[in-house]
C-alpha cells in the first residue's frame, strides 16, 4: 500500500484525477530510460579533503565506599569527539555543484550503574552535538520560460546545526527468568544557520533562509518496552516475549514549501510485537520460535518524502501491517 497527495505549484490540491491502484501497481518494475543529450557537455569535478578528528574519553569507576548490598558497581564517563563526513558533488539542473565536508563535535556525559546483585541496571546519557556545514537532502525547482519546470534533488550544506538530548534505559530481573526493559530518548534538533538557493528564470540564485524549519526524519521522542520470561520445563525452555516501541512525529519535507504543509509531517505511532521461543533439551543448539509483528494491526506510516514546491506531492510509506511466521535457529 502507498499513499500520495498531489499538489500544484501554488500548493493547492491538483484538480486532475488521482492515480489508481492498478496504475500504481503497473509501475512496480518500470525503469525510466536514461536519455543523454549530446549537445550538453559532460561535467566532472575533483576535490581533496584532509581532516584531523581528535577524541577523548574520561572514565571514573564508582568509589569503593558506595558498594554495599544495594549498590554493586558502575562507571561515569565524559567524552568529546570530532566527526567528519567527506564532501562531494550533486547535479542540480545543468550544474554540477560541490558540497563541503560535514564536521561535528559531540560531547556526552553518562553513567552505567548496577544494583541488587546486577538484577537492576540503570544507564543514562546526555549529549550535545555541534555541526558545521551539515549535509542534507534538498529539492530545488528550476523554472523554465516555456513553463516546463524541472525539479532536482541533491545534497547541500545547511550551515550550522545543534542537536542535544538524552537517553535513559532501565533493565530489571525482579524474579528468576523474568526480564523487564524500558528505554526512552529525547532529541532537540535545530538549525542555527540554513541558507538554501532558489534558481530564478534569469539564471540567478535567490537565497532563502530555512533556519526555522524542523529537522527532517528526527523524532523528538522514542521509547521501547520489553517483557520476557524464560520458563524452564522438563522438555526445554519456553520464552514468551512482548516488545513495544513508539516513534514520535517526524518532518519529511525537502523544500521550503513543505515546512508550511501539515501533510509533510508523519504522525507518531506505536507498534507491539510478540514472540514465543522453545529450546528443546533433546536437541541442543536448536530454537524454534513463532512470532506476530504488529499484533494490534496498527495502521501507520513509517516514513515518506514531501516535495511541495518541486514535484508537488507528498508520498507516505506505510509501515508493516500485522504479520506472523515461524523461525528455526541452529547454533554451532
Amino acid at each position: 500500500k502507498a499513499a500520495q497527495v498531489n499538489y500544484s505549484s501554488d500548493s493547492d490540491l491538483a484538480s486532475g484525477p488521482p492515480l489508481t491502484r492498478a496504475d500504481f501497481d503497473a509501475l512496480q518494475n518500470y525503469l525510466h530510460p536514461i536519455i543523454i543529450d549530446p549537445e550538453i557537455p559532460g561535467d566532472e569535478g575533483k576535490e581533496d579533503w584532509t581532516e584531523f578528528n581528535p577524541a577523548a574519553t574520561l572514565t571514573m569507576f564508582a568509589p569503593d565506599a558506595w558498594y554495599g548490598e544495594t549498590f554493586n558497581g558502575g562507571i561515569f564517563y565524559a567524552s568529546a569527539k570530532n566527526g567528519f563526513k567527506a564532501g562531494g558533488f550533486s547535479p542540480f539542473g545543468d550544474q554540477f555543484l560541490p558540497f563541503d565536508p560535514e564536521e561535528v563535535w559531540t560531547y556526552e556525559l553518562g553513567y552505567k550503574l548496577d544494583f541488587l546483585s546486577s538484577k537492576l541496571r540503570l544507564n543514562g546519557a546526555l549529549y550535545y552535538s555541534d555541526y558545521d556545514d551539515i549535509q542534507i537532502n534538498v529539492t530545488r525547482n528550476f523554472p523554465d520560460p516555456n513553463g516546463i519546470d524541472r525539479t532536482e534533488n541533491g545534497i547541500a550544506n545547511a550551515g550550522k546545526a545543534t542537536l542535544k538530548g538524552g537517553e535513559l534505559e532501565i533493565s530489571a530481573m525482579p524474579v528468576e527468568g523474568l526480564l523487564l526493559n524500558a528505554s526512552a530518548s529525547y532529541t532537540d534538533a535545530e538549525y542555527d544557520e540554513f541558507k538554501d538557493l532558489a534558481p530564478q528564470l534569469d539564471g540567478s540564485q535567490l537565497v532563502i533562509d530555512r533556519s526555522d524549519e524542523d529537522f527532517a526524519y528526527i523524532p523528538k521522542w522514542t521509547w521501547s518496552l520489553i517483557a520476557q520470561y524464560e520458563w524452564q520445563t522438563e522438555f526445554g525452555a519456553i520464552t514468551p516475549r512482548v516488545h513495544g516501541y513508539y516513534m514520535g512525529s517526524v518532518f519529511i519535507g525537502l523544500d521550503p514549501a513543505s515546512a508550511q504543509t501539515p501533510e509533510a509531517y508523519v504522525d507518531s505511532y506505536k507498534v507491539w510485537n510478540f514472540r514465543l521461543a522453545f529450546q528443546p533439551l533433546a536437541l541442543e543448539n536448536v530454537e524454534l520460535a513463532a512470532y506476530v509483528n504488529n499484533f494490534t494491526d496498527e495502521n501507520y506510516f513509517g516514513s515518506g518524502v514531501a516535495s511541495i514546491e518541486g514535484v508537488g506531492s507528498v508520498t507516505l510509506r506505510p509501515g508493516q501491517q500485522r504479520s506472523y511466521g515461524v523461525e528455526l535457529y541452529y547454533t554451532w
Side-chain angles (χ1 to χ4, degrees), residues 68-73 114-121 173:
E69 294 183 2
T70 301
F71 182 75
N72 306 122
D114 279 6
F115 302 89
L116 304 176
S117 300
S118 296
K119 293 181 179 179
L120 176 63
R121 291 183 174 177
M173 297 184 66

Side-chain angles (χ1 to χ4, degrees), residues 64-86:
D64 293 340
W66 291 13
Y67 284 72
E69 294 183 2
T70 301
F71 182 75
N72 306 122
I75 62 171
F76 301 87
Y77 65 90
S79 66
K81 300 177 181 180
N82 178 256
F84 166 76
K85 183 189 295 184

Side-chain angles (χ1 to χ4, degrees), residues 2-266:
Q4 179 162 325
V5 181
N6 294 317
Y7 292 85
S8 63
S9 59
D10 59 358
S11 298
D12 292 329
L13 289 175
S15 58
L19 185 69
T20 66
R21 179 56 187 264
D23 292 335
F24 181 81
D25 290 342
L27 297 173
Q28 180 178 3
N29 297 314
Y30 176 76
L31 294 177
H32 194 283
I34 299 176
I35 302 174
I36 300 177
D37 190 344
E39 297 183 1
I40 299 179
D43 200 357
E44 65 180 30
K46 181 179 179 180
E47 290 285 350
D48 295 321
W49 297 281
T50 301
E51 286 286 334
F52 173 66
N53 303 117
T57 301
L58 178 64
T59 302
M60 184 189 78
F61 291 90
D64 293 340
W66 291 13
Y67 284 72
E69 294 183 2
T70 301
F71 182 75
N72 306 122
I75 62 171
F76 301 87
Y77 65 90
S79 66
K81 300 177 181 180
N82 178 256
F84 166 76
K85 183 189 295 184
F89 296 86
S90 277
F92 280 108
D94 57 357
Q95 295 179 305
F96 200 48
L97 301 180
F99 55 89
D100 294 329
E102 174 184 296
E103 184 178 4
V104 59
W105 273 101
T106 297
Y107 309 92
E108 184 173 342
L109 295 172
Y111 57 86
K112 301 177 183 295
L113 307 176
D114 279 6
F115 302 89
L116 304 176
S117 300
S118 296
K119 293 181 179 179
L120 176 63
R121 291 183 174 177
L122 180 63
N123 302 328
L126 296 173
Y127 68 89
Y128 180 91
S129 297
D130 186 14
Y131 286 85
D132 279 324
D133 291 321
I134 186 170
Q135 298 170 5
I136 63 170
N137 286 314
V138 298
T139 295
R140 291 175 181 169
N141 187 51
F142 291 79
D144 187 273
N146 298 320
I148 307 176
D149 297 348
R150 301 189 321 276
T151 299
E152 303 285 347
N153 176 261
I155 298 176
N157 295 107
K160 299 181 181 297
T162 301
L163 276 73
K164 51 184 179 289
E167 300 175 346
L168 181 64
E169 180 182 14
I170 302 174
S171 296
M173 297 184 66
V175 297
E176 185 176 356
L178 177 62
L179 172 64
L180 303 176
N181 179 273
S183 62
S185 67
Y186 172 79
T187 302
D188 180 17
E190 62 181 12
Y191 296 111
D192 302 314
E193 179 183 317
F194 184 4
K195 293 182 179 179
D196 199 7
L197 300 178
Q200 304 298 299
L201 272 174
D202 60 4
S204 62
Q205 301 278 2
L206 178 65
V207 179
I208 300 177
D209 186 0
R210 299 179 59 182
S211 57
D212 289 336
E213 292 185 17
D214 291 330
F215 254 73
Y217 304 104
I218 297 183
K220 280 189 176 295
W221 286 100
T222 63
W223 57 253
S224 173
L225 297 174
I226 296 174
Q228 173 180 301
Y229 182 74
E230 186 175 298
W231 178 30
Q232 297 289 343
T233 71
E234 59 180 312
F235 304 104
I238 300 175
T239 309
R241 174 188 176 96
V242 176
H243 174 214
Y245 63 90
Y246 167 85
M247 182 74 68
S249 175
V250 296
F251 174 59
I252 58 173
L254 299 180
D255 54 26
S258 298
Q260 310 301 322
T261 306
E263 288 83 2
Y265 288 81
V266 175

